[in-house]
Amino acid sequence: MRRIAVCVFASLIPQAQAFAAERWTIGLSTSGAPIDAVVVGGRSDSAPTVLLVGGLQGRDQSSEAVAREAAAYEAMPRRRRAFRLIAIAVANPDGQALQFPPSGVAYRTQIESHVLWRWTGLHAPDLVLVAGPDAGLTEALSQQVVADVGQIPARQVDPATRFLQSMAAPARASSARQEIDRRLKRSPRAFATELAAVYGHEFGQPNYIAAVAIISRLRLGEQDDVRSLLSPYLDGSRDSFARPSQSSLAAHVLFFEYARRMGDERAKALVLRAAASGFTDTGDLREFMPLHGGWSDSLFMDVPILAKAGALSGDRRYFDMAARHVAFMQRIVLRPDGLYRHQASADAAWGRGNAFPALGLALTLSDFPRDHPAYPSLLASFRAHMIALSRFQDENGMWRNVIDRPGAYAEYSATAMIGAAMVRGIRNGWLDRRTYQPRVDRAWQAILSRTGSEGRIVDVCESTGTRGLTDEDYLRRAALAGRDERGGGMAMFFATELAGL
């Protein structure tokens, strides 16, 4: 049975597991070597957290010291453990040059520096101890805002001494820890409202990224602003499908939401026109949706709009086409293990390349008639994918940018999308609540912790619309930080799903 432990999110740690050491892979080095951590629970869930780092110049005496101190601390009776310990013995396996704070493209350049900097900030220890040479890490942690979270007290320790055994717990929470605690207190509605001040205010060119944020604003009751954004398309002064693409087709789910909530026949007409791309001029079903491009994205981009059109019109041909296209795409991108490859030319289970099918099938099933012959197979596909994904949720509730690669960076948008799909699955009875609600809860806590009050987020994978990528290329896709429309929109969608809006 897979064990779960979370060092920062103490409320999520099962009592029986809080004191057992866990082994995590927190990132990958330039050569692909794992960067591993050992996590030893403190005497209580509320114990402060100390991060102990060694091996910043490669495996050396400091690595041995960290491993020695961590093992001794783990052997202590739990009542004597004054703090929770996270120990990284070999933080820089390849001995790369380090810079803190790092610069350049995260996880593509200065890879080890980015891994350590962002991971440390998001896990918000109360104190960082660096054994041996520190490469400027202690000063940077103490003086800089780490990963948009906060400052963290840090100091060097002598690896030749037994520095950990007699150390007292940090006297106060770090500013980073205080910020994480603040973030975790937000309710789904409050979180979505906070992000709505930043995201979902542009719809000059219909695309799915803007659409999910605006759908969330509509759910929050901001109908007047949404009406203003949609009015050029509703009154015909602009064409919502003037530039046919996967993204513009998926954006029409926004018009479905508006039509359903507001009873607007003009919005309904836009949905039906876009979904009609699934039919020939004579009204016959096409072999597949013409904009699919061979990407697993198509399960989100092309399929839900067909089900929405069927729900608005009552025309079952839309459902027939949705089922046909799902089967067509699965022949191309569904792997034998239940995960999706992003494209036929690479076998990598890209994070968002799995989140698209997860959320796409959830949105499709929501409006698909239960008496349709294809309903059982669609539901079985959704459930099988949820089972496959569940195996790879990490110790902090996240899904990785390459789902099944330990050490690939934990990716924000995929986690929000998969979490939203699971919420909808639970609500509709497709998924067992006892099994999946804890996964949703962990994903939600992870999204909360990675989202600042001004919509600044951490580790959203850049767009991946390039053909011929290798598995290594997917590992090294840029991880964006700061304000990001894609990540912000998907987080809002997850939050409003949780809030039941």
Side-chain angles (χ1 to χ4, degrees):
M1 180 177 177
R2 182 171 178 264
R3 295 178 296 173
I4 303 294
V6 182
C7 64
V8 175
F9 314 135
S11 63
L12 299 181
I13 302 176
Q15 187 68 26
Q17 297 176 3
F19 306 104
E22 299 289 331
R23 272 67 180 173
W24 299 351
T25 298
I26 70 165
L28 299 172
S29 73
T30 299
S31 70
I35 301 173
D36 293 327
V38 172
V39 184
V40 183
R43 64 166 64 107
S44 70
D45 290 350
S46 60
T49 298
V50 173
L51 173 62
L52 173 58
V53 179
L56 285 173
Q57 294 183 339
R59 186 180 295 275
D60 59 12
Q61 179 189 9
S62 69
S63 303
E64 297 173 2
V66 169
R68 177 197 70 220
E69 293 295 291
Y73 195 73
E74 183 181 358
M76 290 173 60
R78 71 186 194 190
R79 66 180 182 278
R80 291 180 53 202
R81 298 180 194 161
F83 47 85
R84 183 179 299 111
L85 175 69
I86 308 174
I88 305 173
V90 189
N92 184 11
D94 300 346
Q96 295 286 323
L98 301 177
Q99 174 185 314
F100 301 106
S103 59
V105 179
Y107 313 121
R108 185 183 301 161
T109 61
Q110 296 188 1
I111 292 171
E112 291 82 356
S113 299
H114 279 291
V115 168
L116 293 171
W117 187 255
R118 291 190 179 183
W119 190 90
T120 299
L122 293 170
H123 286 75
D126 299 296
L127 175 66
V128 175
L129 303 176
V130 178
D134 75 342
L137 178 59
T138 55
E139 181 179 0
L141 291 173
S142 299
Q143 297 183 5
Q144 303 283 335
V145 174
V146 186
D148 274 336
V149 179
Q151 296 174 327
I152 303 170
R155 67 173 187 263
Q156 287 181 268
V157 293
D158 183 353
T161 64
R162 301 301 297 266
F163 50 84
L164 202 60
Q165 302 306 306
S166 60
M167 196 184 84
R172 55 181 297 180
S174 66
S175 65
R177 178 62 179 269
Q178 293 176 49
E179 170 62 11
I180 292 291
D181 289 345
R182 183 199 68 78
R183 293 179 182 186
L184 292 173
K185 293 176 182 177
R186 294 172 292 184
S187 69
R189 184 172 193 127
F191 175 88
T193 301
E194 195 173 84
L195 292 192
V198 178
Y199 300 112
H201 294 266
E202 297 288 339
F203 203 56
Q205 178 61 44
N207 64 85
Y208 86 89
I209 295 172
V212 293
I214 299 170
I215 287 171
S216 301
R217 293 189 66 202
L218 186 62
R219 291 172 171 179
L220 289 168
E222 300 180 11
Q223 289 94 339
D224 291 342
D225 284 351
V226 172
R227 183 182 299 111
S228 177
L229 291 170
L230 300 190
S231 61
Y233 306 104
L234 298 175
D235 66 21
S237 59
R238 298 193 67 175
D239 185 349
S240 65
F241 209 39
R243 301 179 184 177
S245 67
Q246 277 194 321
S247 187
S248 63
L249 181 61
H252 281 72
V253 174
L254 168 58
F255 293 107
F256 165 79
E257 289 284 346
Y258 192 81
R260 183 173 63 86
R261 291 173 181 267
M262 309 301 292
D264 194 302
E265 289 294 319
R266 300 169 300 171
K268 174 182 174 180
L270 294 177
V271 172
L272 299 183
R273 185 187 67 148
S277 59
F279 307 126
T280 66
D281 293 341
T282 60
D284 295 325
L285 273 64
R286 296 186 185 276
E287 182 182 353
F288 48 77
M289 292 296 284
L291 299 171
H292 71 83
W295 312 102
S296 63
D297 312 31
S298 182
L299 278 297
F300 173 86
M301 304 290 187
D302 294 309
V303 180
I305 193 62
L306 293 165
K308 307 306 180 188
L312 288 176
S313 67
D315 187 341
R316 291 175 74 91
R317 292 182 307 148
Y318 291 106
F319 302 118
D320 297 340
M321 186 62 213
R324 173 177 287 192
H325 189 65
V326 169
F328 172 81
M329 289 306 306
Q330 288 180 337
R331 288 194 294 270
I332 299 172
V333 293
L334 182 60
R335 299 189 336 188
D337 63 357
L339 297 176
Y340 286 82
R341 62 179 64 86
H342 185 219
Q343 54 181 310
S345 61
D347 208 44
W350 179 46
R352 206 157 54 240
N354 276 266
F356 280 131
L359 187 53
L361 282 176
L363 295 174
T364 299
L365 285 165
S366 298
D367 295 288
F368 211 87
R370 296 199 172 204
D371 63 352
H372 192 285
Y375 182 85
S377 64
L378 291 176
L379 180 57
S381 290
F382 175 74
R383 286 172 169 165
H385 192 208
M386 294 299 102
I387 291 170
L389 287 169
S390 293
R391 299 197 304 269
F392 298 105
Q393 189 178 25
D394 79 4
E395 58 275 350
N396 296 301
M398 297 287 286
W399 278 274
R400 297 186 181 277
N401 192 48
V402 177
I403 294 286
D404 55 349
R405 179 67 184 271
Y409 68 83
E411 205 279 326
Y412 185 98
S413 65
T415 298
M417 295 167 73
I418 294 167
M422 288 183 174
V423 170
R424 190 162 288 209
I426 293 167
R427 182 177 300 128
N428 286 283
W430 309 327
L431 300 176
D432 177 65
R433 182 177 296 275
R434 290 174 301 175
T435 300
Y436 285 92
Q437 190 63 53
R439 299 194 179 282
V440 168
D441 292 343
R442 289 196 295 274
W444 174 237
Q445 296 289 300
I447 292 296
L448 281 174
S449 72
R450 287 161 171 77
T451 312
S453 58
E454 296 181 351
R456 295 182 64 82
I457 53 189
V458 180
D459 286 351
V460 179
C461 183
E462 66 179 328
S463 179
T464 307
T466 304
R467 298 191 185 279
L469 295 178
T470 66
D471 290 1
E472 182 68 17
D473 291 331
Y474 281 98
L475 276 177
R476 300 307 181 193
R477 298 303 292 173
L480 308 177
R483 289 188 175 183
D484 181 83
E485 296 288 336
R486 180 186 287 103
M490 288 303 179
M492 290 170 68
F493 195 88
F494 184 18
T496 53
E497 286 286 321
L498 279 168
L501 300 176

